[in-house]
Amino acid sequence: MTEPIVDFLDRLQPYSDLTPEDRAELAATMRVAQYAAGDQVYSFGDRLDGLYIVRAGDIEVRDEHGETVSLLGPRNTFGERGLERDGRAATSAYARSATELLVLPAASFRLACDDHPALARFFDRSAAARPTRAPLSDLATSQVAQFMARDPLTVPPKTTATEAARRMRDARVSCLCVVDADRLVGIVTIRDLSARIVAESAAPDTPVSAIMTADPRTLPPEALGSDVLHMMLEQRIGHVPIVSAQGLVGIVTQTDLTRFQAMSSAELVAGIAHAKSAADMAETTARIPRLLSQLVAGHHPHEVTTRLITDIADAVTRRLLRLAERDLGPPHVPYLWLACGSQGRQEQTGVSDQDNCLILSDEMRPEHDSYFEALARYVSDGLNTCGYVYCPGDMMATNPRWRQPLATWRRYFKGWIDKPVPEAQMLASVMFDLRPIGGDTALFDGLQEETLAQAAKNSIFVSHMISNALKHQPPLGLIRGFATIRKGENKDRLDLKHSGVVPVTDLARVYALRGELRPVNTRARIVAAREAKFLSKSGGQDLLDAYDLIAETRLEHQCRLIREGKAPDNFLPPSKLSDFDRAHLRDAFVVVKGLQSALGHGRGMLS
């Protein structure tokens, strides 16, 4: 017996958010449509009958060129993009097997979105529809899990006062949590030791159970900063243990509150500017994950967050250059240190290696190279110490190939453009993202301009760059709309770097080459391409919205790992996504796939 439509909707977002009465009313407007394998549901440009929901079977969605952009199974929805625009299909859809669809008529769809905010929010694919969070500086509304110190030091009740003092001194902390059989039973602070041991001339071997605050007040990880502030003020305490259902997970001190409110990229940059060694800078860069988490929690735009994180890498690089000149002496000829890759594009996240090179003045003589080799090694080693690990592809100034006079760099770019063999395409993709960091910027000014002009005029080179840009495909597949990694340690996860942001980065680079656009940042390139009419207004906005969503999803995933005490990565399990986020992310990938298809079929950027 076929399940009633209303029961099917009861288990499907956003319909499950409706009242039973509203859900039943909506279900009554839907009709059932049956399709055999190979049948066309609609064609590109057709007037859409309504919103389609896959109840059984599977659907293949193709762009206007016939390229597959998505494979959809049961519970997936399609057609909303066209309905939200002009009512005409933005894609074509075919049944891959015997398929049953539920069709919500277009008029009913629009009326339902007007009447029910949950539906309107779910189907609004614009960036403005995404939920907002508390401002960065609003400690009061930030969750404790964002700023608590994880894995606090613990001791058993029998620990002596002397040992407790020694433990706090060595770890540079002001308190210890007293735990008995994995249960928090008390807290002992430096003030307790001072007031109850030193001031009272008590025996040094007094157990902490005799001086601790027993059964201290605690809060859960989901508590807000205001809860901590109120508890500290009302109870006149300076330490609040954080306890979840699993036990003690963290602690918040007055110092943590101050650090959370004060931390900014400017604070970190200031510390780096006065550092006397790479080791000193490493202590500062170790705070980047906390800053990243704080920026994302404050709902800063991803391009602002990555810019601020990259500013720190830039400051580290410039400080290392100054320290290198201090130790090695002044350079014999002018030079310019440049970054490429994510640092060059100002798009660094919580996971970054180093990609860099040196442009040297043409006055350089062979005997000068030993100095610049030492300078490159000094800076590259220092960056590695600070967490910017060595480039696995050796795209660093320590490699003689990427430490050359300006004339050689001009020959490099001309050679890549004139003969775009696969290696040349790869190198050009990296080197077209160059950005000066420290040194004589005049060495780069003319090079970028003339290289962009040469590239734009060479249609063969541009064609090869387009082919290279299409190698990274969005992860669209049958299972819930995603194609996950098939094997290895990241099996069944989405690669939000190579399958997420990289396809957009590659598209934006091609737009910049063809339009001779100077921005290096991916988002800035898309905006410039739209303003220069190399992208249509609607196509440009679609790509910006898609890129924003993908990039923000990546950052949110990294910050979730940071909050869990794990190292950030780019591999997201789709199970971590809500139905709302899953649908929006899938649509973002469809937009990217469609623009890749347009580029590959010769329509250029006018999408």
Side-chain angles (χ1 to χ4, degrees), residues 330-362:
H332 303 290
V333 297
Y335 72 87
L336 178 64
W337 184 282
L338 303 97
C340 44
S342 60
Q343 185 183 0
R345 296 189 304 274
Q346 295 179 302
E347 294 168 3
Q348 287 192 317
T349 66
V351 186
S352 297
D353 59 5
Q354 56 174 290
D355 300 281
N356 46 63
C357 64
L358 270 172
I359 297 179
L360 309 174
S361 167
D362 287 334

Side-chain angles (χ1 to χ4, degrees), residues 466-527:
I466 289 173
S467 297
N468 188 66
L470 301 181
K471 289 179 180 177
H472 292 101
Q473 294 288 315
L476 292 165
L478 178 59
I479 301 177
R480 299 288 286 173
F482 294 132
T484 56
I485 298 170
R486 294 184 177 181
K487 57 184 178 180
E489 60 179 328
N490 296 306
K491 186 176 182 292
D492 298 329
R493 299 186 179 198
L494 296 173
D495 185 342
L496 292 176
K497 178 181 178 180
H498 294 101
S499 299
V501 296
V502 168
V504 184
T505 298
D506 289 344
L507 281 173
R509 187 182 299 111
V510 173
Y511 299 161
L513 290 178
R514 295 193 66 171
E516 298 182 46
L517 307 174
R518 299 194 68 170
V520 175
N521 174 265
T522 297
R523 201 177 195 282
R525 280 172 166 170
I526 297 171
V527 171

Side-chain angles (χ1 to χ4, degrees), residues 130-153:
R130 303 207 73 210
T132 57
R133 295 178 178 81
L136 173 63
S137 59
D138 194 353
L139 171 66
T141 57
S142 298
Q143 284 195 340
V144 168
Q146 295 171 18
F147 55 84
M148 70 181 185
R150 295 180 179 277
D151 301 321
L153 285 180

Side-chain angles (χ1 to χ4, degrees), residues 351-430:
V351 186
S352 297
D353 59 5
Q354 56 174 290
D355 300 281
N356 46 63
C357 64
L358 270 172
I359 297 179
L360 309 174
S361 167
D362 287 334
E363 299 171 0
M364 176 196 171
R365 297 195 299 270
E367 59 268 26
H368 296 158
D369 186 58
S370 60
Y371 173 90
F372 290 108
E373 179 183 11
L375 181 138
R377 177 55 61 192
Y378 190 108
V379 176
S380 185
D381 287 349
L383 287 170
N384 186 70
T385 297
C386 292
Y388 305 100
V389 298
Y390 299 120
C391 173
D394 203 21
M395 193 75 68
M396 299 179 292
T398 51
N399 183 337
R401 188 179 186 185
W402 311 126
R403 186 179 68 247
Q404 293 292 330
L406 177 58
T408 301
W409 280 101
R410 284 198 163 97
R411 286 196 297 273
Y412 280 168
F413 279 104
K414 186 177 186 304
W416 295 333
I417 293 168
D418 290 345
K419 297 180 179 178
V421 297
E423 185 194 33
Q425 296 169 37
M426 182 274 293
L427 294 174
S429 294
V430 174

